Amino acid sequence: MSNNKLTQLRAAMASAGVDAYIIPNTDSHQSEYFSQYYRSLTWLSGFTGSNGTLVITQEFGGLWTDGRYFLQANQELAGSGIELQKMIDQTKPEYIEWAALNLPNGAKVGIDGRLFSISQYQSMQHFFATKSISVVADLDLIDGLWEGRPAVKAKEIFEHDVKYAGKSRVDKIALVRKNMARLGAENYLVTALDDIGWFFNIRGSDVSYNPVTYAFAVVNIHKVHLFIQSSKVPAAIKARLEDDGIQLHEYDAIQAHLASLENTSILLSAGQTNYALYSALPESCTIKIDSSIVQCLKGRKNATEQEWLRKVMVKDGVAVSRFIKWVEDNIGKNKITELSASKRLHEFRAEQDLFVGDSFPAISSYRGNGAIIHYKVSEASDTELHPNGIYLIDSGGQ
């Protein structure tokens, strides 16, 4: 079976003068879970797993993924013209090592720098240096090819009340500025979506099953700049954010803002900041690389957060206990399938006060299906449960 998308990409690569093109499975925030807009890897290859990287040349197409997805990848890549490359060591950039070994001296590799962290780009530079392979880091070859590409969701944000958060935005801003002073940074770039949500006490639904919104932030001693699509911010929330000293900008204005930071210093995380943002910073700007301040603060749960985590676990435990009882009472008497069971568990969770939604699609699997890592039940695979045999359900709630 021919892959017309692959043919079109290779033509675009030839026009751009690159010998290889690398496509990761992430977004501009280095997220593990992200909007359908960024699923270029799935669009091109058919692979739907959460972890993967494509390397495409004129003669070769390879998908690197880990052991959770070997079976799934073999099935989904069939006929795509792309071969599964089984990752052995997830701590190593095996796809970069492959490119360094197999591309000729002086080759050019194209990437969309918004989708690669600073660390990943530096790793490429390290491995490619021995063969004088260069990286063209501002090359988006997908957008012009992907007809009907889904837009990033633009759902309105809502506030995470301080009675759940335990600290106000103002308190968190003061903590961040204290840490900035300790590290000698005049500016601090926040990029991870969960960090944004925690820092500003806001939530969203731009990413399925994840309470996050697409945004960036830059903090300095005088102002906090939040870059977010304005249509997603209700007027009342906008007013409260501004009252707390936060200036709102459109999401796409982040690079221009970074480019304006002349003769100052900025703190950022090499693993969470994409290379395109890093490249936007002027030469006169002193860049300080360190771990994310917000990530470290977020990891130390305050007393209020701890209290609500305990309450949440009780609520979820009640829902799961009711589900187990329901299965025991009905198995062998009334028809239960993988789909109907996961639906019933969702209903038990939804009956709990403060329920927002599932945290991922439930892995509901009976007998042999339970041996398939990341099994996703469908109408075609839906299997009836019986009193004998093992039933596995892996699920979660928000």
Side-chain angles (χ1 to χ4, degrees), residues 9 35 155 171 186 190 195 202 217 274 360 373:
L9 176 60
S35 165
K155 300 288 184 70
D171 289 339
E186 297 168 281
V190 190
D195 285 359
I202 58 174
N274 73 58
F360 60 95
I373 303 175

Side-chain angles (χ1 to χ4, degrees), residues 20-24 53-56 95 99 109-112 116 124 128:
Y21 194 64
I22 304 178
I23 304 172
T53 305
L54 283 175
V55 179
I56 306 298
Y95 67 96
V109 173
I111 64 169
D112 182 346
F116 289 83
M124 288 185 200
F128 292 167

